Amino acid sequence: MRRVRPVGAPLVRGLVVGGAAYAAGRSAANAARDEQDQNQAIADLQAQQAQAAYQGQQAPPAGYQQTAGYQPPATDVAGKLTQLGEMVQQGLLTPAEFAAAKAKLLA
C-alpha cells in the first residue's frame, strides 16, 4: 500500500527551518551591533579621560565632597616637566604641544 504525504508538510518544514535561520542571523547581527556600540562607547570614554588628564582638569569621582581646610598638594613643576618630556618621547605629545604645556606651567 502506498502512503501519501500531505502536500503542505515540506512547505511547513521549510518555513520552520528558514525562520530559525533568519532568527539566528538576526540575533548574531544584533549582538555584533551591540558589541560595536559598546566598543565605540569605551573609545569615547577613553578619549574624554585622556583629554581631561591632558588638561589637568579631571573631574572628581561621583559622591566626592571636599572637606573644609583641605588644600590640594602643590604642583611639582619639575615633576610635571619630566612627565611632559616622557610623554613627548612616547609620542603622546607633539613638540608644539610640549612647548605650550611647558609655557603654561612656567607662567
Side-chain angles (χ1 to χ4, degrees):
M1 194 178 215
R2 189 169 171 208
R3 189 171 151 188
V4 177
R5 284 194 321 200
V7 175
L11 181 61
V12 171
R13 183 178 37 191
L15 288 174
V16 169
V17 171
Y22 172 77
R26 186 173 179 189
S27 176
N30 285 342
R33 187 181 68 236
D34 290 345
E35 185 175 349
Q36 184 180 13
D37 290 345
Q38 184 178 17
N39 288 340
Q40 183 63 40
I42 290 170
D44 291 344
L45 180 60
Q46 288 174 340
Q48 288 173 354
Q49 289 174 345
Q51 181 70 20
Y54 175 70
Q55 293 176 351
Q57 300 173 353
Q58 195 164 10
Y64 173 81
Q65 293 181 354
Q66 187 172 352
T67 58
Y70 171 78
Q71 295 294 325
T75 58
D76 178 25
V77 176
K80 292 277 187 182
L81 286 173
T82 303
Q83 185 180 19
L84 287 172
E86 290 172 359
M87 291 174 73
V88 169
Q89 289 176 351
Q90 294 172 358
L92 299 174
L93 289 176
T94 65
E97 291 172 332
F98 172 75
K102 183 172 91 172
K104 184 177 178 182
L105 275 175
L106 296 176

